[in-house]
């Protein structure tokens, strides 16, 4: 996938250079966001536009609810001139395909886990790194503050490869679930077949614990669990609860190995065609939607754990974080040169 996207990016860049040579106008600056220091002229006519929005969760999920808020707020703020068409359940492809589509400009916008962007910008591989963030407060000061150095750094890296990030949300922390045994310490994962996203560092960590990594599109996970193709997966608590995965999985460990964030983003090709007024409206709608996502997930997690226990799951609520974190320390040496050390230091430097 990384090679495919890299080739696509190279092709897009060549086409852009060819077009630039054919006219005297300077190409659009895709590395910087629009100047929103002044409000758009409210008397100006807002141009009508329809934007296709992709995500891979079902209609009951927080992600879909967030997408619908984005849709509603964009319509409200634009007086009905901006229409967001939401495509759920991976209708436009899984997250990697949606990302590729946004880079190419064939998909307008969507919701992605930042780790998926590692396929086009190595800086985003930091989201593979277990226990880099020290809880919610650290995420808030590093990523949810639009003026935070790590946030601005990542937004710029995404823009450089064709993705405009409109807003961020903290959407829980990733936890292991499986059908074999309770996982209390990392070595309990030995022999368990775990579905992970195609994130190299995370995949390596699971293997170092003794697990067998089985990458597959997220939309196939439920059936794969039901049929015994895989034993488990890793995702935030709310995913297990909202997607009824308690029907096909027995054990859940609240190990919080990776901070789970989501970005609401757009193809830079589309973004650069929008008026300043349209850009401001979409940004404001995105911020409101993503604030909802962060606040709701944080408020609901305790009740969701109780709910999963009521449904028959056995939950390991507390683990020794120091043991788990120490088991992951090797990644800094093994993946030296493959992760963005400057960004890691920026994140560590803003730890509360």
């Amino acid at each position: 996938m990384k090679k495919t996207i890299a080739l696509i990016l190279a092709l897009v860049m060549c086409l852009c250079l060819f077009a630039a040579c054919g006219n005297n106008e300077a190409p659009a600056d895709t590395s910087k966001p629009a100047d929103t220091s002044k409000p758009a002229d409210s008397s100006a006519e807002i141009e009508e536009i329809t934007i296709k929005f992709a995500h891979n969760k079902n209609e009951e999920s927080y992600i879909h609810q967030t997408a619908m808020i984005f849709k509603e707020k964009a319509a409200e703020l634009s007086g009905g001139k901006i229409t967001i068409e939401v495509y759920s359940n991976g209708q436009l492809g899984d997250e990697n395909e949606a990302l590729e589509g946004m880079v190419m400009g064939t998909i307008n916008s969507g919701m992605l886990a930042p780790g998926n962007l590692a396929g086009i910008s190595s800086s985003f591989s930091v989201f593979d790194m277990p226990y880099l963030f020290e809880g919610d407060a650290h995420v808030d000061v590093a990523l949810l503050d639009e003026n935070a150095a790590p946030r601005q750094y990542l937004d710029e890296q995404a823009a450089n490869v064709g993705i405009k990030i409109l807003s961020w949300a903290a959407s829980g922390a990733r936890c292991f679930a499986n059908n074999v045994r309770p996982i209390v310490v990392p070595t309990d994962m030995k022999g368990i077949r775990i579905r992970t996203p195609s994130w190299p560092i995370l995949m390596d960590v699971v293997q170092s614990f003794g697990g067998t990594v089985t990458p597959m599109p997220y939309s196939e996970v439920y059936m794969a669990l039901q049929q015994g193709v895989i034993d488990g997966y890793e995702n935030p608590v709310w995913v297990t609860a909202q997607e009824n995965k308690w029907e096909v999985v027995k054990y859940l460990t609240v190990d919080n190995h990776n901070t789970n964030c989501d970005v609401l983003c757009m193809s830079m090709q589309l973004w650069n065609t929008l008026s300043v007024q349209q850009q401001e409206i979409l940004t404001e709608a995105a911020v409101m939607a993503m604030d909802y996502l962060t606040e709701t997930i944080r408020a609901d997690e305790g009740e969701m754990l109780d709910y999963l226990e009521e449904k028959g799951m056995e939950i390991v609520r507390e683990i020794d974080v120091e043991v788990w974190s120490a088991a992951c320390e090797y990644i800094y040496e093994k993946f030296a040169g493959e992760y963005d050390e400057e960004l890691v230091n920026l994140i560590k430097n803003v730890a509360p």
Side-chain angles (χ1 to χ4, degrees), residues 200-267:
I201 293 174
L202 176 58
M203 294 167 68
D204 196 274
V205 166
V206 170
Q207 291 172 332
S208 77
F209 292 167
T212 300
V213 175
T214 309
M216 66 175 59
Y218 182 76
S219 59
E220 298 176 10
V221 170
Y222 186 100
M223 185 173 293
L225 286 164
Q226 195 173 45
Q227 296 177 346
V229 175
I230 58 174
D231 301 315
Y233 61 95
E234 53 83 61
N235 243 322
V237 169
W238 64 266
V239 174
T240 299
Q242 285 197 337
E243 298 185 355
N244 297 332
K245 286 194 168 59
W246 48 267
E247 296 173 345
V248 290
V249 73
K250 174 66 176 175
Y251 305 104
L252 175 67
T253 299
V254 187
D255 59 290
N256 297 336
H257 54 273
N258 283 93
T259 291
N260 201 67
C261 288
D262 283 285
V263 289
L264 197 159
C265 49
M266 180 169 290
S267 169

Side-chain angles (χ1 to χ4, degrees), residues 112-324:
L112 298 172
N116 289 96
L117 279 94
I120 58 173
S121 174
S122 61
S123 296
F124 285 86
S125 66
V126 295
F127 290 93
D128 296 16
M129 304 176 84
Y131 304 104
L132 175 60
F133 293 90
E134 301 172 11
D136 290 346
H138 193 182
V139 175
D140 290 350
V141 297
L143 299 174
L144 302 194
D145 179 354
E146 65 179 354
N147 297 313
R151 158 79 171 269
Q152 293 184 341
Y153 184 94
L154 284 164
D155 285 355
E156 182 176 352
Q157 298 305 308
N160 288 340
V161 291
I163 299 294
K164 170 65 180 178
I165 296 179
L166 299 183
S167 189
W168 290 71
S171 45
R174 302 179 79 90
C175 305
F176 289 106
N178 82 98
N179 278 318
V180 178
R181 67 179 74 91
I183 298 173
V184 180
V185 294
T187 52
D188 289 334
M189 205 175 297
K190 185 176 182 180
I192 298 178
R193 294 166 299 171
I194 300 288
R195 181 270 175 187
T196 73
S198 299
W199 303 352
I201 293 174
L202 176 58
M203 294 167 68
D204 196 274
V205 166
V206 170
Q207 291 172 332
S208 77
F209 292 167
T212 300
V213 175
T214 309
M216 66 175 59
Y218 182 76
S219 59
E220 298 176 10
V221 170
Y222 186 100
M223 185 173 293
L225 286 164
Q226 195 173 45
Q227 296 177 346
V229 175
I230 58 174
D231 301 315
Y233 61 95
E234 53 83 61
N235 243 322
V237 169
W238 64 266
V239 174
T240 299
Q242 285 197 337
E243 298 185 355
N244 297 332
K245 286 194 168 59
W246 48 267
E247 296 173 345
V248 290
V249 73
K250 174 66 176 175
Y251 305 104
L252 175 67
T253 299
V254 187
D255 59 290
N256 297 336
H257 54 273
N258 283 93
T259 291
N260 201 67
C261 288
D262 283 285
V263 289
L264 197 159
C265 49
M266 180 169 290
S267 169
M268 188 64 81
Q269 291 190 43
L270 174 61
W271 180 257
N272 285 333
T273 69
L274 301 177
S275 68
V276 171
Q277 192 171 22
Q278 289 171 322
Q279 291 178 348
E280 290 180 351
I281 288 169
L282 288 166
T283 300
E284 184 176 352
V287 169
M288 289 189 284
M290 297 298 263
D291 284 350
Y292 158 84
L293 181 59
T294 298
E295 293 165 5
T296 306
I297 287 177
R298 287 180 176 176
D300 290 354
E301 184 166 297
E303 291 182 4
M304 288 199 168
L305 287 172
D306 294 340
Y307 170 78
L308 291 172
E309 285 184 327
E310 291 171 4
K311 290 296 184 180
M313 290 194 72
E314 184 176 328
I315 298 176
V316 178
R317 292 188 182 235
E318 295 184 7
I319 52 99
D320 188 333
V321 175
E322 291 185 2
V323 170
W324 284 75

